[in-house]
């Protein structure tokens, strides 16, 4: 069990706020964020204070406690990457009104290394760790996908044009492997340059529409996913984990009318709100449930494409972080207050992360434990309680069973090794082998 981590980040004033001579109504100290309502009479101007897992002050870069892109990576990004290396699913989800700094935190600015966001930094450091050769015997496989949800339709941002339409992909649920997008292109990457190339392509394909609040604001939700598989032999036995890192840049959380949107944009706004409304409903339901462990409630994941795809990340098998982005300006008081309240609620969500072991490897591990147990039983002198209980079976039967178990273990392990060797030719990066590309068969 692990609660969802929640961080809040405040950006500097934008041009519009500066030209309007806005006041900064946000204050941060340690992990606390407080907000003042300038419209209240002076005597009522008591700040409202919230406590989060982290509060990032990025309002003024000349401040000594200014939180840079690198600082956010070292806190949230590194935690996410560590979870993936430990075999867990991980997720970072940026929430907030249009123009509050979601894309800046997630993607950052491509033309400046210093201003790169979490997605490029996590990807870069993933390969740095692999190539540092820390785990010499480990082989890794990384695959990425990048999709956009626009008007409740899923679009593949990485599919090459000649492969035909990929505007309205279907979301499905597999009884064993969970929710997935049918026909979403998966791209094997063996170094950061591969990721960089895909990010450039995907970002170019993202639907953008200008609104009065933010010229380049995106009206869509984007999910960048890294599937990360680690395989190695430990004490002559296979070990293999598969983790999924979901990096989510949500569309603006404001009401469609607050940005002066009309016509087609209003329709988009309506659908964006449908996804976000469901997102908020899911968070509320999960937050309620955490208080009453025994009471199971219906969680409306399937009411929107976004929440269905993020089912594992919200209340499920994942270590999840919600990054709430806010404006510092008094003119955005209502939206900022709503973001802060929402983020406060999200803190209550309890997830159930588990190490995602490969099913065949799990079988091998269980079989190994069983053989070990039988051996102990055989060794225990006299008639142990357990043996008596099981009315065991003669010693010969035990020896026979151990033999069968060991042979099966051997077969399964060899099968696994063979499979990894053949996969390696196509997709694996071996620890310590810098920038080496394996040829595709
Ligand atoms: N922490 C920050 N420091 C400097 N500039 C920022 C910061 N956060 C956002 N900005 C700038 O504010 C503008 C809006 O941010 P953006 O990330 O596009 O918002 P959103 O994705 O939430 O709509 C962009 O020009 C961005 O570069
Ligand atoms: Mg954006």
């Amino acid at each position: 069990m692990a609660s969802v981590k929640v961080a809040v980040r405040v950006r500097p004033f934008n041009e519009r706020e500066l030209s309007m001579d806005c006041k900064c109504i946000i204050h941060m100290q340690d992990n606390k964020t407080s907000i003042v309502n300038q419209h209240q009479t002076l005597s009522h101007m008591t700040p409202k204070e919230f406590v989060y897992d982290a509060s990032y002050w990025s309002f003024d870069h000349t401040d000594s406690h200014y939180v840079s892109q690198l600082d956010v990576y070292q806190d949230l990004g590194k935690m996410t990457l560590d979870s993936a290396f430990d075999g867990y699913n991980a997720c970072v989800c940026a929430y907030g009104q249009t123009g509050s700094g979601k894309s800046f935190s997630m993607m950052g600015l491509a033309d400046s290394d210093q201003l790169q966001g979490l997605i490029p930094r996590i990807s870069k450091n993933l390969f740095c760790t692999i190539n540092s050769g820390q785990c010499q015997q480990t082989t890794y496989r990384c695959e990425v996908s990048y999709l956009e949800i626009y008007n409740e339709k899923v679009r593949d941002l990485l599919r090459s044009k000649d492969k035909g339409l990929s505007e309205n992909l279907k979301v499905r649920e597999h009884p064993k492997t969970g929710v997935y997008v049918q026909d979403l292109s998966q791209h094997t990457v063996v170094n950061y340059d591969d990721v960089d190339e895909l990010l450039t392509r995907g970002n170019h394909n993202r639907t953008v529409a200008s609104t009065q609040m933010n010229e380049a604001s995106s009206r869509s939700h984007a999910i960048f996913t890294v599937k990360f598989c680690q395989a190695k032999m430990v004490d002559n036995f296979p070990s293999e984990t598969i983790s999924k890192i979901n990096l989510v840049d949500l569309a603006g959380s404001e009401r469609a009318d607050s940005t002066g949107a009309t016509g087609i944009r209003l329709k988009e706004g309506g659908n964006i709100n449908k996804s976000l409304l469901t997102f908020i409903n899911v968070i509320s339901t999960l937050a309620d449930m955490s208080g009453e462990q025994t009471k199971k409630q219906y969680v409306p994941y399937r009411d929107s494409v976004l929440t269905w795809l993020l089912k594992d990340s919200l209340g499920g098998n994942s270590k999840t972080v919600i990054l709430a982005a806010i404006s510092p300006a008094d003119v955005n008081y209502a939206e900022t207050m709503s973001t802060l309240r929402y983020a406060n609620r999200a803190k209550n969500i309890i997830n159930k992360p588990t190490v995602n072991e490969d099913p065949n490897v799990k079988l091998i591990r269980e079989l190994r434990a069983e053989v070990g147990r039988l051996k102990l039983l055989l060794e225990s002198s006299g008639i142990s309680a357990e043996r008596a209980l099981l009315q065991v079976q003669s010693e010969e039967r035990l020896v026979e069973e151990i033999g069968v178990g060991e042979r099966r273990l051997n077969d399964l392990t060899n099968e696994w090794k063979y499979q990894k060797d053949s996969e390696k030719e196509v997709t694996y990066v071996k620890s310590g082998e810098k920038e080496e590309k394996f040829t595709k068969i």
Side-chain angles (χ1 to χ4, degrees):
M1 302 275 226
S3 55
V4 166
K5 298 263 171 294
V6 179
V8 170
R9 186 180 197 188
V10 62
R11 62 155 168 76
F13 281 139
N14 60 24
E15 297 283 324
R16 180 172 166 266
E17 291 160 351
L18 283 173
S19 72
M20 289 167 74
D21 211 9
C22 287
K23 302 278 171 301
C24 173
I25 54 166
I26 302 296
H27 297 273
M28 287 183 174
Q29 194 175 16
D30 304 321
N31 54 356
K32 294 189 207 85
T33 298
S34 48
I35 179 168
V36 184
N37 183 358
Q38 296 277 339
H39 296 300
Q40 286 182 330
T41 55
L42 223 56
S43 57
H44 285 93
M45 263 175 44
T46 39
K48 177 99 182 86
E49 188 177 273
F50 297 90
V51 181
Y52 300 102
D53 293 287
S55 290
Y56 299 135
W57 181 253
S58 304
F59 175 66
D60 180 355
H61 68 90
T62 60
D63 279 346
S64 58
H65 53 302
Y66 173 77
V67 175
S68 67
Q69 294 284 68
L70 177 63
D71 295 328
V72 173
Y73 168 75
Q74 278 176 339
D75 205 27
L76 296 188
K78 201 166 172 318
M79 186 162 82
T80 303
L81 205 51
D82 288 348
S83 301
F85 272 98
D86 289 343
Y88 294 99
N89 293 334
C91 172
V92 182
C93 220
Y95 179 91
Q97 82 178 116
T98 298
S100 59
K102 297 178 298 293
S103 302
F104 184 82
S105 287
M106 296 309 293
M107 199 60 74
L109 306 185
D111 46 8
S112 153
D113 271 3
Q114 247 186 350
L115 296 180
Q116 280 189 331
L118 285 171
I119 294 178
R121 282 174 199 269
I122 286 174
S123 311
K124 219 178 250 181
N125 284 289
L126 174 81
F127 286 106
C128 273
T129 310
I130 291 174
N131 289 328
S132 68
Q134 274 172 15
C135 325
Q136 279 295 338
Q137 300 310 316
T138 311
T139 49
Y140 302 90
R141 191 181 64 212
C142 307
E143 260 175 25
V144 306
S145 62
Y146 196 11
L147 64 83
E148 177 182 64
I149 304 167
Y150 182 70
N151 275 339
E152 290 299 284
K153 288 185 179 145
V154 179
R155 209 160 78 101
D156 189 340
L157 291 172
L158 298 180
R159 165 88 37 134
S160 51
K161 287 204 175 67
D162 52 301
K163 291 263 169 70
L165 276 178
S166 54
E167 294 286 319
N168 195 5
L169 301 178
K170 296 277 167 292
V171 179
R172 304 207 182 278
E173 189 159 10
H174 187 275
K176 282 207 176 111
T177 50
V179 183
Y180 68 100
V181 179
Q182 195 174 18
D183 295 330
L184 181 69
S185 64
Q186 304 288 335
H187 302 257
T188 299
V189 285
V190 299
N191 55 38
Y192 178 67
D193 288 346
D194 289 351
V195 181
D196 192 37
E197 210 179 295
L198 293 169
L199 281 178
T200 307
R201 195 199 310 172
N203 289 339
H204 179 78
N205 287 337
R206 268 200 82 176
T207 304
V208 288
S210 61
T211 71
Q212 283 175 13
M213 284 187 73
N214 181 355
E215 278 301 306
S217 88
S218 171
R219 310 298 304 161
S220 64
H221 311 276
I223 307 181
F224 182 77
T225 305
V226 183
K227 255 190 231 154
F228 176 53
C229 172
Q230 305 175 82
K232 60 184 166 200
M233 291 296 286
V234 180
D235 300 334
N236 278 329
F237 281 96
S239 150
E240 185 172 348
T241 57
I242 305 144
S243 341
K244 204 154 73 167
I245 312 174
N246 275 332
L247 301 166
V248 189
D249 186 0
L250 298 170
S253 56
E254 64 281 350
R255 298 174 303 274
D257 59 2
S258 78
T259 56
T262 50
I264 175 89
R265 198 139 316 128
L266 193 65
K267 180 172 175 273
E268 290 171 11
N271 271 328
I272 283 163
N273 282 352
K274 183 190 171 189
S275 255
L276 271 150
L277 205 72
T278 314
F279 194 78
I280 290 165
N281 279 342
V282 165
I283 299 279
S284 297
T285 313
L286 291 168
D288 285 349
M289 273 162 61
S290 71
E292 306 157 54
Q293 297 289 348
T294 45
K295 199 170 153 201
K296 268 223 169 255
Q297 285 190 42
Y298 171 72
V299 186
Y301 290 113
R302 288 183 71 150
D303 286 5
S304 82
V305 172
L306 177 71
T307 47
W308 196 12
L309 278 177
L310 294 181
K311 192 175 162 202
D312 252 350
S313 303
L314 302 168
N317 176 17
S318 166
K319 293 200 176 186
T320 295
V321 178
I322 289 179
L323 177 59
I326 55 170
S327 148
D330 50 359
V331 288
N332 289 317
Y333 173 81
E335 284 300 338
T336 302
M337 192 63 186
S338 126
T339 300
L340 291 176
R341 283 220 175 94
Y342 166 75
N344 200 45
R345 207 147 166 62
K347 289 190 310 194
N348 297 325
I349 301 174
I350 307 286
N351 277 12
K352 300 156 213 93
T354 49
V355 171
N356 301 305
E357 208 175 18
D358 174 87
N360 292 327
V361 166
K362 188 170 176 224
L363 187 73
I364 293 174
R365 187 173 51 74
E366 284 166 359
L367 190 58
R368 189 189 185 194
E370 178 62 13
V371 169
R373 196 184 67 85
L374 292 177
K375 278 184 174 169
L376 263 180
L377 214 57
L378 184 68
E379 280 164 18
S380 59
S381 56
I383 298 178
S384 72
E386 195 179 0
R387 270 174 83 168
L389 217 100
L390 289 170
Q391 294 189 341
V392 166
Q393 312 155 347
S394 63
E395 219 130 272
E396 297 85 78
R397 250 325 268 291
L398 262 180
V399 174
E400 201 179 302
E401 272 186 36
I402 290 169
V404 170
E406 281 184 327
R407 275 194 298 280
R408 176 121 180 83
L409 254 182
N410 209 21
D411 288 351
L412 284 173
T413 306
N414 285 337
E415 232 168 74
W416 181 84
K417 275 189 193 160
Y418 178 76
Q419 193 201 341
K420 289 303 113 181
D421 277 348
S422 51
E423 278 177 2
K424 217 183 280 174
E425 306 242 339
V426 195
T427 52
Y428 272 77
V429 189
K430 202 164 184 180
S431 175
E433 288 176 12
K434 221 168 192 158
E435 309 238 328
E436 181 166 332
K437 251 192 173 157
F438 289 96
T439 42
K440 296 196 179 194
I441 306 169

